[in-house]
């Protein structure tokens, strides 16, 4: 059920709600997460808050409470329409006392009006008597036991009830207002029950066999991130007075979704399973995409579960962002603005580490400060703690963010944004890289030591190829864009030169690092993932089958550090991002070397989608398809058995990349774009659109 709660999450870019049932069930793990609402939390620094629950609707059949954990469930079906975000559940149920009825619940979070949430319940009773509905707003929610909100106020105005709660530490106020009405059926009585922190509207109607009863619950929500705290309740109530009724709301929502899909759909013919999986992944990105907010990013689990506490990683920039950059650039810009807003926090992090410039947090939330937990309980023995080093030394994220900003600009041609914000991101991260480089006098080279690369099974490594080469790219790009800025917007260039202290001496040092940073390619062409990697014990995934645990679980943390098994593409990730800098045969030898050593099935979910693209390039269609399936079906089929923690949002983005850059082989350069038809067997047609420099492009490939 927890897996299904995740995959049946609905949302609209403002909030998401997990797919629990309106009437609840024992052990359910419901949650509504609103973008940007974080609160301080022990050990994990801060976490996205499980807000009050707007779903509760219990139904009584002649006094017997409906619930599928008792009575008889004669039939059950749940459908999520990824076309328009409508979640529908139909249950035929008979109470222990023999009262039978068909229940249909529908719900959606309006994409057209992001503060409006809709729930409708149809019941066709097969008995005579009464049906009682209890619709409430429940402030008694928690994050797996940790309570973040407390009651502030509640009340009733003209039959509408509201509830106002506040987060403990961050003092963010959230108000919900709810209207409940039946559209058919004879109403017998109605009351408002002012239960503290759980205001409830009770409606009792007459039940007659075969006569359908329909009840609507409309909810409006605002937080003090949207309006000043003292206006949250009044704004919420006012908005509820003006929201569209069900039919019109359904229509407007459908139109908004049609717009969202218009440029972003990927049509696959000949493989329904792949089509469904791809659209499911894109749906998950759509429901969490901050369309109207440039103060938030997208967490590793989107807004669909408690995993990673709503924190954002490089997942957002490297895995998800390309989908938005190419299909909805305004959303990509919002996500990049989030990083830009946190430049000060990144500067503080660099400074605290004795560096200059901007060093972005490995895990980031509402303030941009580092929020990676330093210690977490060992999943194998929860009485023991494990030290997490990523927040200290997984430094490649600063180059990843610079890369994403630069890529956004190249693809969109958004000079205004780039001049105002993007260039500063690139220059200040470059400044960090130049100051973090260590000079090795003996070997006459710059090094980045004591780091973690994308493959987190090896920590405290020296000269991780990905990190060193991306640092070099970041520095070179900074010099190039500074030249560009000097020509295009000299005043802004001057401003940045002064603000960031980009003296000729500093720029000369950048040049020196670029030339002498250690990024070797040996004669074999196999780029060593980090110094000493090739001397570790070789491990080949094929030799470990069958297994259903990761290689890190198999060998332990220390054992993994001593072996070549890797959690996710690292060198291959580098080759993917800087593809135009590497010859085809380098890509091939590295694929052949690293693919058998990569734990694609149980390692990180980020990898398979990207590895699929390289597999396409090196002519391994069957491997590519298997890797694509690992990405696309990861959550639908709970392949890693942890979808209950939330959607693997990076994998959703990587799935789109696998289709577009892998199977369609799309390559975009300054002068145009090309495709390479590598449709998997069985696919008869693949069609999608993307935006290049503001112009819509259409791609259509057939078998
Ligand atoms: C992966 C990281 C990723 C993080 C959040 C980790 O398991 O190794 O690359 O950023 O999960 O998804």
């Amino acid at each position: 059920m927890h897996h299904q709660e995740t995959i049946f999450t609905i949302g609209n870019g403002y909030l998401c709600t997990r797919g629990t049932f309106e009437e609840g069930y024992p052990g359910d793990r419901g949650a509504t997460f609103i973008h940007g609402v974080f609160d301080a939390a022990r050990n994990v620094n801060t976490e996205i808050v499980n807000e009050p629950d707007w779903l509760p609707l219990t139904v009584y059949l002649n006094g017997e409470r409906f619930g599928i954990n008792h009575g008889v469930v004669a039939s059950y079906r749940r459908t999520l329409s990824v076309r328009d975000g409508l979640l529908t559940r139909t249950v035929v149920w008979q109470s222990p006392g023999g009262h039978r009825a068909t229940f249909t619940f529908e719900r959606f979070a309006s994409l057209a009006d992001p503060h409006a949430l809709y729930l409708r319940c149809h019941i066709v009773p097969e008995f005579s008597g009464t049906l009682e509905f209890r619709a409430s707003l429940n402030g008694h929610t928690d994050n797996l036991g940790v309570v973040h909100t407390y009651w502030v106020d509640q009340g009733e105005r003209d039959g509408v009830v509201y509830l106002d709660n506040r987060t403990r530490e961050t003092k963010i106020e959230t108000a919900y207002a709810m209207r409940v009405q039946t559209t058919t059926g004879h109403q017998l009585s109605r009351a408002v029950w002012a239960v503290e922190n759980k205001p409830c509207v009770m409606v009792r109607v007459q039940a007659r066999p075969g006569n359908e009863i329909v009840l609507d619950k409309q909810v409006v929500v605002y937080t003090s991130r949207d309006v000043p705290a003292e206006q949250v309740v009044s704004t919420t109530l006012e908005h509820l007075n003006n929201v569209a009724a069900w039919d019109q709301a359904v229509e407007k929502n459908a139109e908004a979704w049609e717009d969202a899909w218009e440029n972003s759909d990927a049509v696959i013919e000949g493989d329904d399973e792949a089509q469904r999986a791809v659209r499911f992944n894109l749906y998950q990105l759509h429901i969490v995409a901050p369309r109207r907010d440039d103060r938030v990013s997208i967490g590793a689990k989107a807004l669909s579960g408690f995993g990673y506490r709503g924190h954002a990683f490089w997942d957002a920039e490297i895995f998800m962002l390309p989908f938005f950059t190419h299909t909805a650039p305004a959303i990509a810009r919002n996500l990049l603005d989030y990083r830009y807003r946190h430049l000060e926090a990144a500067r503080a992090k660099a400074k605290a580490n004795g560096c200059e410039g901007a060093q972005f947090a490995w895990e980031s939330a509402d303030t941009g400060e580092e929020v990676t937990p330093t210690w977490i309980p060992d999943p194998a023995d929860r009485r023991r703690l494990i030290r997490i080093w990523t927040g200290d030394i997984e430094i490649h994220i600063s180059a990843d963010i610079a890369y994403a900003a630069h890529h956004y600009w190249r693809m969109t041609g958004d000079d205004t944004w780039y001049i105002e914000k993007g260039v500063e991101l690139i220059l200040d991260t470059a400044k960090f890289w130049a100051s973090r480089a260590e000079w090795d006098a003996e070997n006459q080279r710059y090094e980045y030591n004591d780091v973690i690369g994308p493959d987190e099974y090896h920590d405290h490594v020296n000269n991780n190829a990905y990190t060193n080469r991306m640092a070099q790219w970041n520095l070179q790009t900074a010099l190039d864009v500074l030249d560009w800025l000097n020509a295009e917007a000299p005043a802004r260039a001057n401003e940045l030169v002064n603000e960031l202290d980009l003296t000729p001496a500093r720029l000369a040092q950048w040049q020196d690092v670029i030339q002498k940073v250690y990024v070797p390619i040996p004669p074999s062409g196999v780029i060593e993932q980090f110094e000493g990697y090739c001397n570790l014990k070789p491990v080949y995934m094929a030799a470990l089958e069958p297994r259903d645990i990761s290689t890190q679980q198999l060998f332990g943390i220390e054992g993994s550090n001593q072996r070549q098994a890797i959690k996710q593409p690292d060198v291959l990730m580098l080759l993917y991002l800087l593809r135009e800098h590497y010859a085809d045969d380098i890509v091939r030898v590295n694929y052949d070397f690293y693919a058998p050593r990569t734990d694609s099935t149980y390692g990180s979910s980020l990898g398979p989608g990207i590895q699929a693209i390289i597999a396409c390039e090196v002519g391994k269609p069957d491997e590519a398809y298997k890797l694509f399936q690992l990405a696309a079906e990861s959550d639908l089929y709970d392949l890693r058995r942890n979808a209950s923690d939330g959607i693997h949002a990076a994998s959703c983005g990587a799935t789109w990349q696998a289709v577009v850059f892998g199977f369609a082989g799309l390559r975009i350069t300054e002068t145009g774009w090309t495709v390479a038809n590598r449709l998997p067997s069985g696919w008869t047609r693949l069609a999608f659109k993307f935006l290049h420099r503001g112009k819509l492009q259409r791609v259509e490939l057939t078998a």
Side-chain angles (χ1 to χ4, degrees), residues 32 51 74 121 302 379 398 425 453 482 508 528 532 588 633:
T32 289
E51 292 276 13
C121 173
S398 297
L425 279 172
L482 191 56
E528 193 175 32
R588 189 163 300 112
E633 297 177 354

Side-chain angles (χ1 to χ4, degrees), residues 300 308 313-315 362 394 454 456 567-568 604 606 650:
Y308 288 125
F313 300 66
W314 70 319
D315 305 36
W362 174 247
E394 192 157 354
E456 295 172 346
K567 184 178 182 185
Q568 65 209 82
S604 169
L606 278 65

